[in-house]
Amino acid sequence: MSDAWVANLSSGVTVVERWIPGEMSPWVKLMELCKENSVWVTNLRLTVCSETVSLPSHAEGYWQIYQQTVLENVPLEKLPVIRGIGHVVEDVVKILWGVRTPMNTAYFYQDQRSIEGQMSIIWRPK
Amino acid sequence: LATLVFEANYGAGPAWTAIASVGQLVGFYGANFNDKVAVSSYQSSTHISGGASVDICTINHTKNVTYVDGTHFNTTGAGNTVLNDTNLVAANCTLRVHLNHSSAVYTQNGRFYVYNGTTVTSYAPDITAYAFEQGQSATSWTQVGNGTSQGGDNSGQRLTLSVKGSSATDQYWYVALSCMPMSVGAKTAFSVGSTIEYY
């Protein structure tokens, strides 16, 4: 399986990340789908290099991001591909970053940040 | 899926042109390419150099923006202009950070930094550097390196780039950068980087 996030929704539907050129990003599409249909994410997991990590189920909210870096005089293929998924606990997003190295190996690490300014959170209804 | 590149506004036109990820560097000089910058002075010209110290931007050199003080700049090596979006237009910035994606994306948490060319969280030694993002109503430079302890991709030691709250397949950030050597000799432990988050 290629690198992707997979979201389970409160409606029972499972959504798999799929980029389609010319369309909105799959996460933005998921945000709109949840808003329009009054459903929410109940679980989120991420696969990188065939390794999968999952977040706790039924969190207040879920978050996803890609991180892209440019370094002068460093070719793109020598930089890792970094992406993160997270879940909200009170006023913090607890993040699991997944890294695909240039050697196509994966590792994951934890991080957290304030929810302030994080516009990609899909919230569970209060 | 995505590419993130530095671009400079030079050449015929001039036009924003990607700086090759191998063999091309943004460099800060005296009046002309390869002229030294005096210690404790800021550069008078900016160029894109290729292999064997060749000036790539021979027609319409890369735009130069020189730090004067915290709220002033000049572009010609003389003068003293108030730093704001009116006086420093996007086309005159040193670099453009360009994110391209096949799908429209939003961005957040962007940053621009100067580091030692090896470790992104390490400062560039013996170089004082200031940066400014055009188009965000800023009126002062941000110090992105003090040459002794500060700089690199560290909170409070880098330039925060604006959030792009409208989705697009191409997102741009216009950055001015000015550098001052603190000691004699070419400064090779110096590089620039940028990191953008998108969704």
Side-chain angles (χ1 to χ4, degrees):
Chain A
M1 181 183 175
S2 57
D3 298 356
W5 51 255
V6 177
N8 295 122
L9 306 186
S10 56
S11 59
V13 169
T14 297
V15 178
V16 181
E17 176 186 14
R18 183 173 171 229
W19 290 85
I20 300 173
E23 296 188 5
M24 298 294 293
S25 78
W27 188 259
V28 171
K29 283 198 241 179
L30 178 62
M31 292 172 77
E32 292 182 352
L33 184 150
C34 288
K35 188 177 178 182
E36 290 168 4
N37 296 282
S38 300
V39 297
W40 59 95
V41 177
T42 58
N43 182 264
L44 184 63
R45 56 191 183 275
L46 173 66
T47 298
V48 178
C49 295
S50 301
E51 292 186 40
T52 300
V53 293
S54 296
L55 297 175
S57 299
H58 305 290
E60 292 177 66
Y62 289 91
W63 171 99
Q64 186 274 155
I65 214 84
Y66 267 88
Q67 196 176 81
Q68 187 84 27
T69 291
V70 56
L71 301 177
E72 195 181 23
N73 211 26
V74 177
L76 185 64
E77 60 269 22
K78 295 216 170 164
L79 293 172
V81 176
I82 303 175
R83 53 193 310 186
I85 56 173
H87 69 289
V88 176
V89 178
E90 297 178 344
D91 57 352
V92 165
V93 182
K94 291 186 174 289
I95 302 169
L96 269 175
W97 290 105
V99 181
R100 175 186 278 269
T101 72
M103 290 79 70
N104 287 320
T105 58
Y107 66 90
F108 297 86
Y109 65 96
Q110 296 180 34
D111 188 13
Q112 66 178 45
R113 63 175 62 166
S114 167
I115 61 171
E116 191 175 343
Q118 302 304 310
M119 303 305 290
S120 67
I121 296 172
I122 298 175
W123 292 97
R124 182 183 69 193
K126 299 286 183 189
Chain B
L1 288 173
T3 58
L4 185 66
V5 297
F6 288 122
E7 298 174 337
N9 191 17
Y10 71 88
W16 289 102
T17 306
I19 300 173
S21 61
V22 178
Q24 292 188 358
L25 300 168
V26 58
F28 301 90
Y29 301 91
N32 298 295
F33 180 70
N34 264 346
D35 286 356
K36 293 171 183 167
V37 181
V39 171
S40 299
S41 297
Y42 286 87
Q43 93 284 351
S44 302
S45 69
T46 304
H47 301 264
I48 306 302
S49 67
S53 295
V54 173
D55 187 6
I56 297 291
C57 52
T58 51
I59 304 170
N60 293 318
H61 294 293
T62 298
K63 303 298 181 180
N64 181 72
V65 186
T66 302
Y67 174 93
V68 174
D69 62 32
T71 55
H72 293 82
F73 74 101
N74 71 59
T75 54
T76 60
N80 185 338
T81 306
V82 172
L83 186 62
N84 58 39
D85 292 341
T86 303
N87 294 334
L88 179 57
V89 297
N92 284 342
C93 285
T94 318
L95 294 168
R96 181 166 83 169
V97 181
H98 179 188
L99 176 70
N100 172 263
H101 202 294
S102 57
S103 295
V105 295
Y106 296 85
T107 77
Q108 64 170 39
N109 206 30
R111 58 230 197 224
F112 174 87
Y113 40 89
V114 167
Y115 71 107
N116 69 355
T118 303
T119 304
V120 294
T121 50
S122 296
Y123 66 91
D126 280 351
I127 295 174
T128 300
Y130 286 89
F132 171 85
E133 185 188 358
Q134 200 276 348
Q136 300 308 312
S137 302
T139 55
S140 60
W141 291 91
T142 297
Q143 188 172 45
V144 292
N146 70 359
T148 57
S149 60
Q150 303 270 303
D153 187 13
N154 297 297
S155 179
Q157 301 172 38
R158 61 196 177 199
L159 179 68
T160 298
L161 298 179
S162 55
V163 171
K164 299 298 185 186
S166 297
S167 66
T169 54
D170 290 289
Q171 302 279 19
Y172 302 102
W173 296 263
Y174 294 87
V175 176
L177 178 63
S178 186
C179 299
M180 178 191 84
M182 300 164 65
S183 61
V184 173
K187 300 293 177 273
T188 54
F190 168 89
S191 197
V192 297
S194 182
T195 298
I196 304 289
E197 292 180 355
Y198 68 89
Y199 62 95

